[in-house]
Amino acid sequence: MANVKKESGSKAGGMISALIIVACILVGWMIWNFVMGASSNFTGGDTEKGSPLNTLGMVYRGGFIVPVLLGMLLMVIVFSFERYLVITKAAGKGNLDTFMKNVQADIKQGKIEEAIGTCDKQQGSVANAIRSALVKYQDVKKEGFNSEEASETIHKEIEEVTALELPMLEKNMTIISSLVSLGTLGGLLGTVSGMIKAFGALASAGTPDQAALATGISEALVNTATGISTSILAIIAYNLFTSKIDDLTYSIDEAGTTIVNTYRHYRGSLKQ
């Protein structure tokens, strides 16, 4: 049942992500066509032959790849914002470091019920995983497992809960990481397209068409700048969120180790 729910949730999430990608490209095209391509941005109101009057007009002349690059830039922003909300929610309410200190202090003192109560207040993925481990701790304590059996049981519980929580945290991270490369490659494609036009103007018979030459160089530079900007933002977002996810995972593992050590200490005290 859990696997079915996980698969259905994954499919729904994939559909939403696909819709967001299409929407971002569509919005990028609308910005390029209606905002940057407005007649007020060109001399004589002619978007084809008029000279650009401002930066918007110059970017519009970047060519067909500009709306795609704008769409990818919007994807980085949208998916970064979505990941920020999810990871912040996963950390739970209040400061995560303070929560970990309080919960570990309660565990070491054998105050398991207090630690569970702290998890209930914190909520979030980390708190959920620790709470499951604490409940399992109480179960193995009642059963009187030896240290090795208890360690294996508690670790297995943590692994199962983490396996359910991590996909939610890492969702859409692949898209952000892909945009690192796609932004650069898209900018390079636009650069090559612009340079082809520029060299075509130079190769024309008689006097080179200066307007065509300027348009080609402008297209190359605009696409380069947009592609690099997309990649830079995607790299920053990916590294930031990966670091946050690693911190959450480490917190869960650290709490699990503390719970196991506490149980071993408890079993050791019974033998004395």
Side-chain angles (χ1 to χ4, degrees):
M1 181 65 73
N3 290 333
V4 172
K5 289 182 178 179
K6 187 176 179 180
E7 289 178 3
S8 61
S10 178
K11 290 180 180 178
M15 288 287 292
I16 294 173
S17 297
L19 290 174
I20 291 174
I21 291 172
V22 173
C24 286
I25 294 177
L26 179 61
V27 171
W29 178 83
M30 292 175 66
I31 293 173
W32 174 75
N33 191 56
F34 297 110
V35 178
M36 296 178 175
S39 58
S40 59
N41 296 327
F42 302 90
T43 55
D46 190 343
T47 58
E48 298 300 325
K49 298 180 180 180
S51 300
L53 295 173
N54 49 38
T55 304
L56 292 177
M58 291 179 61
V59 175
Y60 176 80
R61 288 290 174 84
F64 70 95
I65 198 67
V66 172
V68 178
L69 290 172
L70 288 175
M72 287 194 287
L73 184 61
L74 287 172
M75 285 179 222
V76 175
I77 295 172
V78 171
F79 285 118
S80 295
F81 183 69
E82 183 264 345
R83 284 297 87 197
Y84 172 78
L85 292 178
V86 170
I87 292 174
T88 300
K89 184 178 179 181
K93 300 177 181 178
N95 185 273
L96 182 61
D97 292 334
T98 302
F99 162 72
M100 289 302 300
K101 289 179 182 178
N102 293 336
V103 121
Q104 287 186 352
D106 288 337
I107 293 171
K108 289 177 181 177
Q109 295 173 21
K111 300 178 180 178
I112 305 303
E113 290 295 338
E114 286 81 352
I116 292 175
T118 303
C119 292
D120 291 336
K121 292 178 182 178
Q122 179 75 5
Q123 299 179 359
S125 298
V126 177
N128 290 340
I130 296 174
R131 189 186 190 285
S132 296
L134 290 172
V135 171
K136 184 60 67 174
Y137 170 90
Q138 290 180 319
D139 291 341
V140 299
K141 190 175 179 181
K142 291 177 182 177
E143 295 293 334
F145 289 178
N146 62 44
S147 296
E148 294 306 320
E149 290 176 339
S151 175
E152 183 179 349
T153 303
I154 293 172
H155 276 304
K156 186 177 180 181
E157 180 68 19
I158 292 175
E159 288 175 359
E160 289 178 354
V161 176
T162 304
L164 293 174
E165 297 288 349
L166 273 183
M168 180 190 69
L169 297 177
E170 295 177 345
K171 179 185 172 185
N172 295 331
M173 289 296 291
T174 303
I175 295 175
I176 296 177
S177 66
S178 298
L179 289 170
V180 173
S181 299
L182 290 176
T184 303
L185 293 175
L188 181 61
L189 177 62
T191 301
V192 172
S193 174
M195 294 308 295
I196 289 172
K197 291 182 180 179
F199 284 113
L202 285 173
S204 60
T207 304
D209 188 344
Q210 295 182 356
L213 176 62
T215 299
I217 295 174
S218 174
E219 177 177 334
L221 295 178
V222 164
N223 288 316
T224 300
T226 308
I228 290 175
S229 299
T230 300
S231 294
I232 290 174
L233 185 59
I235 289 171
I236 293 173
Y238 181 79
N239 290 336
L240 176 63
F241 294 134
T242 299
S243 176
K244 293 284 187 183
I245 293 171
D246 288 343
D247 288 342
L248 295 177
T249 306
Y250 174 76
S251 296
I252 294 173
D253 292 340
E254 185 181 16
T257 302
T258 302
I259 294 170
V260 170
N261 290 338
T262 301
Y263 184 80
R264 284 175 176 167
H265 178 73
Y266 164 76
R267 290 291 298 175
S269 66
L270 293 179
K271 296 178 181 179
Q272 292 176 358

